[in-house]
């Protein structure tokens, strides 16, 4: 932080620093993220009132400020939008104000499900707060992968099948179908009667099972890598006992809990 000053220094301290202030700030962001994801899953998309639009605009403004702040403190700004999580946030911000321009709310359901991608940042923020998340970072990452995939596929099923398939009328129906397809349970109460629906079912089963297998692998195989971004070249993944970046050779300091 020695090369930072003013607002940049304060924001960097909140997002990346330690102490009571960053602790409260990051947990507040986590709670906000969880609440907004829940709101996107619950909020109606067919019959909307003014209060729904007002909530959309407030959420959009908060996400926008968060995105701008993270861009402002980024050391390598030209790499900021190389991270797809930041693009996901930008897409969600656009959709929050999209009702001013478009009326395809089913399409917005797909785009706003991308907000679930934000769950990936939970790991990055929380692992610096509690050792538990740091210790089980890889497993939590795989669980988050699977959950985000289910939410996004359910959104796609909802947007493409409502009005076309009589068995799917709500987002809960599409979420139920996505999970039953992923687990290959196949109760038979919801059946895809069109080609697009069957293709979606195949994607859910194939891709979902691959993510589930990755989760099993993370559970049974020890992880020899740790996330610690090199301040010189930006490389993130390093060996747990590394003292130099294997890409550029710069010294790195990996936080550990000590020998046990």
């Amino acid at each position: 932080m020695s090369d930072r000053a003013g607002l940049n220094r304060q924001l960097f301290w909140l997002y990346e620093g330690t102490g009571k202030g960053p602790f409260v700030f990051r947990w507040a962001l986590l709670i906000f993220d969880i609440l907004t994801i829940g709101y996107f899953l619950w909020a109606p998309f067919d019959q909307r009132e003014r209060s729904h639009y007002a909530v959309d605009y407030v959420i959009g403004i908060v996400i926008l400020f968060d995105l701008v702040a993270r861009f402002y403190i980024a050391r390598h700004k030209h790499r900021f939008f190389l991270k797809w999580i930041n693009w996901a946030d930008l897409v969600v911000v656009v959709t929050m104000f999209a009702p001013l321009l478009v009326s395809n709310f089913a399409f917005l359901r797909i785009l706003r499900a991308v907000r679930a991608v934000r769950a990936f940042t939970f790991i990055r923020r929380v692992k610096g707060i509690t050792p538990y998340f740091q210790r089980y970072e890889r497993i939590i990452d795989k669980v988050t992968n699977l959950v985000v995939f289910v939410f996004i596929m359910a959104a796609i099923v909802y947007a493409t099948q409502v009005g076309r398939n009589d068995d799917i009328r709500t987002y809960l129906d599409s979420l139920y179908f996505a999970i039953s397809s992923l687990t290959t349970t196949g109760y038979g109460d919801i059946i895809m009667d069109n080609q697009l629906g069957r293709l979606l079912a195949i994607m859910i089963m194939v891709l979902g099972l691959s993510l589930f297998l990755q989760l099993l692998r993370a559970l049974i195989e020890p992880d020899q890598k740790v996330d610690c971004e090199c301040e010189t070249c930006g490389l993130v993944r390093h060996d747990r006992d590394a003292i130099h970046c294997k890409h550029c050779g710069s010294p790195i300091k990996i936080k550990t809990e000590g020998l046990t």
Side-chain angles (χ1 to χ4, degrees), residues 3-221:
D3 59 337
R4 299 176 183 270
L7 180 61
N8 190 294
R9 184 183 181 90
Q10 290 297 319
L11 288 175
F12 184 82
W13 175 68
L14 288 175
Y15 278 93
E16 305 293 342
T18 58
K20 185 177 180 180
F23 179 88
V24 174
F25 176 76
R26 275 177 264 181
W27 271 109
L29 287 179
L30 289 178
I31 294 172
F32 172 78
D33 289 339
I34 294 172
L35 291 177
T36 53
I37 292 171
Y39 169 74
F40 293 154
L41 298 179
W42 164 83
F45 272 67
D46 48 0
Q47 297 178 351
R48 295 172 62 81
E49 300 176 354
R50 289 185 177 180
S51 59
H52 294 124
Y53 292 116
V55 173
D56 286 353
Y57 300 147
V58 170
I59 292 176
I61 291 172
V62 174
I63 298 175
L64 179 60
F65 272 105
D66 175 55
L67 185 65
V68 171
R70 287 186 287 112
F71 177 77
Y72 180 61
I73 66 173
R75 186 176 297 274
H76 306 286
K77 289 183 171 54
H78 62 285
R79 298 177 182 172
F80 185 78
F81 284 108
L82 294 179
K83 298 180 179 179
W84 63 288
I85 293 178
N86 296 329
W87 277 105
D89 274 352
L90 184 61
V91 168
V92 172
V93 168
V94 173
T95 67
M96 301 313 296
F97 299 97
L100 294 173
L101 306 173
V102 300
S103 57
N104 188 351
F105 296 117
F107 177 69
L108 294 183
R109 174 72 79 177
I110 298 178
L111 293 179
R112 292 187 186 179
V114 178
R115 180 62 179 174
V117 175
R118 182 67 168 184
F120 282 104
T121 61
F122 292 1
I123 301 168
R124 182 174 180 274
R125 284 175 172 168
V126 178
K127 72 179 182 182
I129 299 176
T130 169
Y132 177 85
F133 284 89
Q134 189 173 17
R135 186 180 303 116
Y136 299 104
E137 172 187 349
R138 187 183 178 206
I139 296 175
I140 297 173
D141 178 66
K142 301 304 180 184
V143 171
T144 307
N145 265 329
L146 189 59
V147 172
V148 169
F149 171 78
V150 170
F151 282 149
I152 291 179
M153 292 308 300
I156 295 175
V157 170
Y158 173 87
T160 59
Q161 297 301 310
V162 169
R164 178 181 296 184
N165 190 325
D166 293 336
D167 293 333
I168 297 180
R169 297 183 177 86
T170 65
Y171 183 80
L172 183 60
D173 291 336
S174 61
L175 182 61
Y176 169 78
F177 173 79
I179 295 176
S180 61
S181 297
L182 170 63
T183 57
T184 66
T185 303
Y187 291 112
D189 49 349
I190 297 181
I191 301 175
M192 290 299 177
D193 54 4
N194 56 79
Q195 295 297 322
L196 178 58
R198 290 168 182 168
L199 287 174
L200 288 174
I202 293 173
M203 289 179 58
I204 293 172
M205 286 185 281
V206 174
L207 297 179
L209 284 176
S210 66
L211 291 174
F212 183 71
L213 291 175
Q214 289 182 21
L215 172 59
L216 290 179
R217 183 178 180 182
L219 289 171
I220 62 177
E221 290 185 2

